[in-house]
Structure formats: structure tokens, C-alpha cells
Amino acid sequence: MDVTTTSVLLVDDDPMVRNGLRMVLRADPGIVVVGEAGNGRQAVDQARELRPDVVLMDLQMPVMDGVAATRELRGLPDAPAVLVLTTFHLDTYILDALGAGASGYLLKDIPPTEIARAVQMAAAGESVFSSSVTRSLVQRVASPATDPKIEAARAALAALTEREREVAAAVAAGKSNAAIASEMFMSEATVKTHVSRILTKTRSQNRVQIALTVYRASGVR
């Protein structure tokens, strides 16, 4: 397989949906669909065998749902990026999926041409969301019942350098490494170093969890 090719595992309990996704992704020469699964347990088993770069994950499935599968997948050695693709646009689903380690959250009304782009972004370590999955949904994680999480997030950000906090804020705003480098007059390699340090200091698995930390620290109710 060409080193520039992104391998994808499709996970959805509807064979027609998987077939449609396979046709959409095959139109992109930089993507290869290496397997399919009809539930979360099959997804984890297939990922162990096939080692895909990205798992395109539904949420509501039998045997094991997408959130539980995402959590297991992200715990694997050389864990794949997990990109949720679902019909559910509810705070609880979004936050549960992101908390489990998903790199992005897409709704199934996304234009087919955007799916391949989203897969490539996830493979590159970027976070990606449907336009209707807005920042306000993520900010609503902060509620009176989650005050300890707010304080923990503030403590995590306080441990960062001033520059790292600036980069974390830019990541939370959905900016790519290239965009951050341009705005802050740094090389992309320097941005990647900052992001790596932020991930370690905030104990985040990916850029989405950095964003969650930034949003929680804002204390928005």
C-alpha cells in the first residue's frame, strides 16, 4: 500500500449505509477501505487485525455501541483515529464520544464530498465537526454538577506556558497546525512540538480533548 494512502474501517449496523460510504470513499484515490463491521465488537476485532488509520464509527449499534468501541479502539497500541458519523445530534452523545477519544463528530446529513476530506483530516490528527455541531454544545459540559472538571481544566491550563495556552486556544478554535503557524509566526514543526507538550500536560488523547479542556476552563454554564 502506498505510504500516502489512508486506510479506513467502516462501522455501521446498516449494510446499505456501509455500501454508500464505501462508494463515496473509493472515489478518493488517497483512501482505501480495508474492512467493514456491523457493531462495535466487530470493529475492535477488525481494527486489531487490519490496523486502519481511521475508523468511521456509527454510535447506535447492537452488541457494543460506538462510544464503548471508541474507548477500546483508542486504548489499542497505534490506535486509529475515530471519526463518528451518526444521525444523533444530542449533547450527551457528542460529549460521550469525544470523551471516549473520538477525533471528530459528523452528522449523516454531511455532503458526501466532505466525508473523504474529514477522513483525511482525522488521519492527519486534526479535529473535524459538522457545522451544526457547534461550540456551544461542547461548552455546555460546564454545569453546576461538573465544577470539579472545571477546576481540573483550569489547573491543567495553568500548568502550560503562556505560548502553550495560546496554541491550546487556537486548537480549541478548530485551527490547523498550518493556520496556527501562520498566525503565530512559527514553523509547523514548532506548533507540533507545542501541541505534543499540551497533550502530555493536559493528559489529552487528541486535539478534541484539548478543546474540551479549554472550554471547561472557561466555566461557561
Side-chain angles (χ1 to χ4, degrees):
M1 184 182 300
D2 191 289
V3 294
T4 61
T5 299
T6 298
S7 57
V8 180
L9 173 65
L10 303 179
V11 186
D12 197 293
D13 62 345
D14 187 335
M16 292 184 65
V17 171
R18 297 200 305 270
N19 183 60
L21 290 171
R22 185 171 61 251
M23 292 175 63
V24 167
L25 295 178
R26 280 181 175 173
D28 189 316
I31 295 175
V32 58
V33 176
V34 295
E36 300 180 18
N39 61 61
R41 173 49 57 200
Q42 290 177 359
V44 174
D45 292 343
Q46 291 251 30
R48 286 196 176 102
E49 177 183 353
L50 301 173
R51 300 170 67 90
D53 298 311
V54 178
V55 176
L56 201 54
M57 177 75 73
D58 190 19
L59 289 183
Q60 287 287 353
M61 296 178 292
V63 184
M64 177 187 285
D65 66 31
V67 171
T70 296
R71 189 172 291 109
E72 284 205 29
L73 287 168
R74 292 300 300 163
L76 295 176
D78 298 321
V82 178
L83 187 57
V84 170
L85 182 64
T86 181
T87 58
F88 296 98
H89 185 190
L90 297 172
D91 290 23
T92 52
Y93 285 107
I94 296 169
L95 296 173
D96 285 351
L98 301 186
S103 298
Y105 197 103
L106 304 176
L107 300 179
K108 287 182 178 177
D109 61 1
I110 185 175
T113 54
E114 290 297 309
I115 296 177
R117 175 176 172 273
V119 165
Q120 296 287 29
M121 289 177 65
E126 303 288 349
S127 55
V128 56
F129 300 91
S130 290
S131 59
S132 56
V133 180
T134 62
R135 173 175 171 165
S136 64
L137 292 176
V138 181
Q139 288 178 320
R140 285 170 63 182
V141 70
S143 67
T146 58
D147 279 348
K149 291 184 179 180
I150 295 173
E151 294 307 315
R154 288 174 176 168
L157 291 187
L160 304 180
T161 66
E162 181 177 355
R163 194 54 149 174
E164 287 167 351
R165 285 194 291 273
E166 292 174 351
V167 173
V171 169
K175 296 178 181 178
S176 66
N177 286 348
I180 296 171
S182 176
E183 290 182 9
M184 297 187 181
F185 304 102
M186 296 186 287
S187 69
E188 285 193 53
T190 300
V191 175
K192 288 180 180 179
T193 298
H194 282 308
V195 171
S196 178
R197 289 173 179 166
I198 294 165
L199 288 168
T200 299
K201 290 182 179 181
T202 62
R203 298 182 179 180
S204 299
Q205 291 187 7
N206 53 39
R207 297 168 77 93
V208 173
Q209 292 189 347
I210 292 175
L212 283 172
T213 297
V214 171
Y215 297 148
R216 281 179 174 138
S218 70
V220 176
R221 291 290 192 265

